[in-house]
Amino acid sequence: RVALELSGVERHYSQGEQALSILKGADFRLLGGQTVALVAPSGTGKSTLLHLAGLLERPDAGEVSINGRACGSLSDPERTAIRRNEIGFVYQFHHLLPEFTAVENIMMPQLIAGLSKKEARERASALLDYMRIGHRAEHRPSELSGGEQQRVAIARAVANAPFVLLADEPTGNLDPETAGYVFEALKALVKQSGLAAMIATHNYDLASKMDRRITLQDGKVVELA
Ligand code: ADP
Ligand code: ADP
């Protein structure tokens, strides 16, 4: 099953008088259950690609499809609904809500999606156990280590069982050992849930542990060995 597909995607910015072509016909497919590392130097368009894949921006040409559904002709509210229910985001800095506990942070997107408190708490607890931090459920973010915070952020991102997980340097502010643990937990989750994960990272060690590696070259997606 193709969870994420970009075909012929173009994105051009204007910088003063000049047009800056960042994506020039990018093609890419990611299957459910696959992890792909997006490895490219700063300024080549990683954030642009993640924003397009996450339906935060619209391409100037080409099509982005989530779980087989072409999103180009959809309205903004329809795209927002897909973003909430079918796509999860993880950032370098976790953006957890400081006044809520770990389990409450993970319940939040489910409550917004209309689940009951009981259902949301059950799924949040299961995810915390899966990420091996069940014993930290009632702690607030400030009481958690960096690795624990990032695992809560990943659990929150997948709380609504999305098809696609997009992560921008999710372990960028962690020491290598902790980054390794967090990534292993993420990978286990991907395999268990059939989620497709695209992870922008500068960490070659982590990239080497993913199913695939891609980069951006000349405005196109290029597969690395
Ligand atoms: P990366 O994430 O790889 O660092 P970005 O996708 O953020 O790259 O940006 C790629 C290039 O496009 C950069 O040169 C950046 O300055 C430019 N750029 C990004 N967003 C805009 C924008 N909204 N307007 C003009 N230029 C932009
Ligand atoms: P730190 O507290 O140093 O930031 P973490 O938050 O990543 O570290 O993890 C807390 C503890 O949980 C670590 O000491 C580690 O031994 C253990 N741990 C975390 N993830 C795993 C895992 N996937 N497998 C085994 N042990 C783990």
Side-chain angles (χ1 to χ4, degrees):
R1 187 175 54 79
V2 180
L4 169 67
E5 178 162 15
L6 280 74
S7 53
V9 165
E10 296 182 22
R11 190 75 175 97
H12 314 285
Y13 296 118
S14 54
Q15 291 200 331
E17 304 281 281
Q18 298 243 303
L20 180 64
S21 293
I22 294 302
L23 296 176
K24 300 185 257 185
D27 296 311
F28 176 65
R29 290 155 70 98
L30 187 62
L31 301 179
Q34 270 191 345
T35 50
V36 65
L38 171 58
V39 191
S42 291
T44 49
K46 291 191 300 298
S47 307
T48 299
L49 190 73
L50 287 172
H51 288 163
L52 289 167
L55 309 185
L56 293 164
E57 283 184 41
R58 289 176 185 268
D60 296 309
E63 185 63 274
V64 175
S65 302
I66 305 291
N67 200 32
R69 186 163 175 208
C71 297
S73 57
L74 300 180
S75 68
D76 285 342
E78 288 170 318
R79 287 164 64 91
T80 300
I82 292 179
R83 196 181 313 122
R84 283 207 187 124
N85 299 314
E86 302 185 18
I87 305 173
F89 296 91
V90 183
Y91 305 95
Q92 177 167 6
F93 299 99
H94 54 71
H95 302 303
L96 296 171
L97 298 170
E99 66 272 32
F100 292 96
T101 63
V103 70
E104 287 167 347
N105 266 281
I106 302 168
M107 288 168 67
M108 207 68 72
Q110 301 174 83
L111 296 177
I112 291 169
L115 267 76
S116 73
K117 267 195 170 169
K118 184 168 176 291
E119 291 169 306
R121 185 172 285 276
E122 276 172 12
R123 174 146 171 93
S125 300
L127 283 168
L128 281 166
D129 287 342
Y130 208 82
M131 301 298 278
R132 296 169 177 268
I133 46 171
H135 57 296
R136 310 297 272 160
E138 303 303 333
H139 291 262
R140 293 186 183 183
S142 61
E143 300 163 341
L144 302 175
S145 74
E148 289 169 343
Q149 290 173 6
Q150 214 48 339
R151 276 182 276 171
V152 174
I154 291 168
R156 180 183 55 178
V158 301
N160 283 344
F163 296 105
V164 178
L165 182 71
L166 301 172
D168 198 354
E169 290 286 352
T171 57
N173 64 335
L174 304 177
D175 66 74
E177 196 188 7
T178 306
Y181 283 136
V182 171
F183 177 68
E184 288 306 323
L186 173 63
K187 208 160 80 171
L189 199 64
V190 165
K191 296 299 165 198
Q192 179 246 8
S193 64
L195 187 69
M198 176 152 74
I199 303 165
T201 182
H202 286 109
N203 185 327
Y204 286 91
D205 186 44
L206 291 188
S208 71
K209 292 179 181 151
M210 296 190 211
D211 297 319
R212 294 164 56 191
R213 284 147 293 283
I214 54 170
T215 192
L216 290 168
Q217 242 166 48
D218 218 6
K220 290 192 161 58
V221 175
V222 175
E223 204 85 22
L224 298 170

